[in-house]
Amino acid sequence: MAKVGWIGLGNMGNPMSQNLVKAGHDVVVWNRTKSKADEVLAAGATWADSPKEVAEKADFIFTMVADGPTLHAVAFGDNGYIAGLSAGKIAIDMSTVSVAESVKVNEAVEAAGCKLIRGPVTGSTVLAQSATLGILASGDKATYDKVLPLFESLGANQFYVGGADEARVLKLAINTMIATTMQMEAEAVVLCEKAGLDVGQVTEVIAGSAVGSGICKYKASTITEGTYPAAFSVKLMMKDLDLALDVAKQYGVPMLSTSLTRQQLAAAAATGREEKDFAVLTEVLEDASGYTR
Ligand code: NAP
């Protein structure tokens, strides 16, 4: 069994780290807010006082944090995990960050005589809990092969997509489709609601229809209930679309739907919904349409 370190115990990191404990690994964790470690510690993990200590105690060091600046905050500095690396260890970042942010971490990890696997994920908290995430990985192939058994404890679908930061771009591209799908569903749902149809039936029919992709299925209940607790927040989705639109600018790809959906997420944030699930786009459109449930 492997000595695994885990940094970042948010909505995703918490269930993912617990799955590694369940798989029998020796897991050491750190999170900025220590109380969020209660569950994984109760499951059998141990606590480290800093990201540096995590890297000193583990051979595989996972990070699953909010964004690029946070990844840099836990990687660099006196207490960052890179200060705790020794040659031969493997770092794996599963957060959604930009290529530029990732390159900077990779350079520092390699300078410490180690390798970095980029392993962003598709799927939400429900799939994190059931260990059925999709994992898009890139980086050194021989290193990936060593990490694969750990990935198999976290996800059902494994994709190795290249030797460097390819997984970062693919992850952002997929999230543009996920976000625009939620905007499309918002438009369909509010249209039907105003025409007098039942929201629960509408989301059920959409989920079972030709356009009923995974995301329509996972979000059907929260749209029906209209409560929107964050599985994936508006704030994080805005971050991802901003990163995707930067890539689009770099390669000269006009991304119309993504740009419009980004604006509607801004409307969600500006009306106090930044910490809600991004499926709250339906509620934003209900307001804009003068519709109250
Ligand atoms: P989250 O619940 O907001 O958790 C964010 C994590 O980052 C927490 O551990 C948080 O620590 C930490 N963090 C934030 N700012 C920090 C700082 N300044 N210093 C140190 N730690 C900091 O996010 P999540 O939903 O788990 O998402 C994690 C990553 O996975 C993101 O990159 C996201 O885009 C990606 N992702 C999410 C989903 C999803 O459905 N949620 C799906 C696919 C990919 P605290 O606990 O102390 O706040």
Side-chain angles (χ1 to χ4, degrees):
M1 287 295 127
K3 283 188 184 175
V4 175
W6 196 281
I7 297 165
L9 298 167
N11 290 331
M12 295 295 283
N14 224 313
M16 292 169 77
S17 60
Q18 288 179 48
N19 284 333
L20 290 171
V21 175
K22 277 183 212 151
H25 300 293
D26 185 2
V27 180
V28 56
V29 301
W30 178 87
N31 191 58
R32 177 181 61 174
T33 307
K34 189 176 178 184
S35 58
K36 289 194 192 166
D38 289 351
E39 270 185 63
V40 69
L41 293 178
T46 55
W47 176 255
D49 283 328
S50 66
K52 180 184 177 196
E53 193 181 321
V54 169
E56 286 167 348
K57 291 186 168 165
D59 295 324
F60 297 86
I61 301 100
F62 285 83
T63 44
M64 187 53 160
V65 294
D67 53 19
T70 306
L71 177 62
H72 287 185
V74 301
F76 298 116
D78 290 347
N79 279 319
Y81 82 76
I82 287 166
L85 291 175
S86 47
K89 295 195 177 197
I90 297 173
I92 305 108
D93 177 54
M94 306 192 81
S95 324
T96 307
V97 305
S98 73
V99 170
E101 290 159 339
S102 178
V103 163
K104 198 169 169 206
V105 173
N106 184 55
E107 284 169 359
V109 168
E110 295 239 334
C114 301
K115 295 284 183 198
L116 175 73
I117 292 297
R118 297 71 154 176
V121 302
T122 65
S124 193
T125 48
V126 177
L127 301 197
Q129 283 155 14
S130 58
T132 53
L133 291 165
I135 301 177
L136 321 175
S138 61
D140 176 66
K141 180 66 166 66
T143 306
Y144 171 77
D145 290 340
K146 292 181 191 162
V147 175
L148 185 57
L150 296 173
F151 280 164
E152 285 170 345
S153 297
L154 301 172
N157 297 307
Q158 310 297 334
F159 304 96
Y160 176 76
V161 299
D165 276 293
E166 294 84 348
R168 304 299 195 185
V169 177
L170 181 54
K171 166 63 192 167
L172 293 173
I174 290 171
N175 263 22
T176 66
M177 292 186 67
I178 288 177
T180 55
T181 299
M182 277 300 94
Q183 175 59 20
M184 288 193 297
E185 180 152 1
E187 293 174 20
V189 166
V190 178
L191 182 67
C192 291
E193 283 185 308
K194 285 203 86 174
L197 281 89
D198 173 69
V199 62
Q201 193 173 36
V202 171
T203 56
E204 187 188 339
V205 172
I206 290 172
S209 76
V211 294
S213 63
I215 194 72
C216 296
K217 293 184 175 80
Y218 316 141
K219 299 299 183 189
S221 63
T222 197
I223 294 172
T224 301
E225 287 156 18
T227 48
Y228 306 107
F232 187 53
S233 67
V234 165
K235 187 169 145 188
L236 288 182
M237 187 55 95
M238 289 197 296
K239 176 256 304 183
D240 287 1
L241 296 198
D242 286 341
L243 296 178
L245 289 167
D246 283 348
V247 180
K249 193 170 165 192
Q250 181 187 350
Y251 289 102
V253 179
M255 296 184 75
L256 283 71
S257 315
T258 304
S259 302
L260 291 173
T261 302
R262 174 64 179 83
Q263 294 306 311
Q264 198 68 345
L265 288 165
T271 50
R273 296 169 170 112
E274 195 176 44
E275 300 295 341
K276 297 271 188 186
D277 192 87
F278 72 105
V280 79
L281 285 168
T282 295
E283 189 182 82
V284 173
L285 193 60
E286 285 169 346
D287 282 2
S289 308
Y291 180 77
T292 309
R293 285 193 191 181

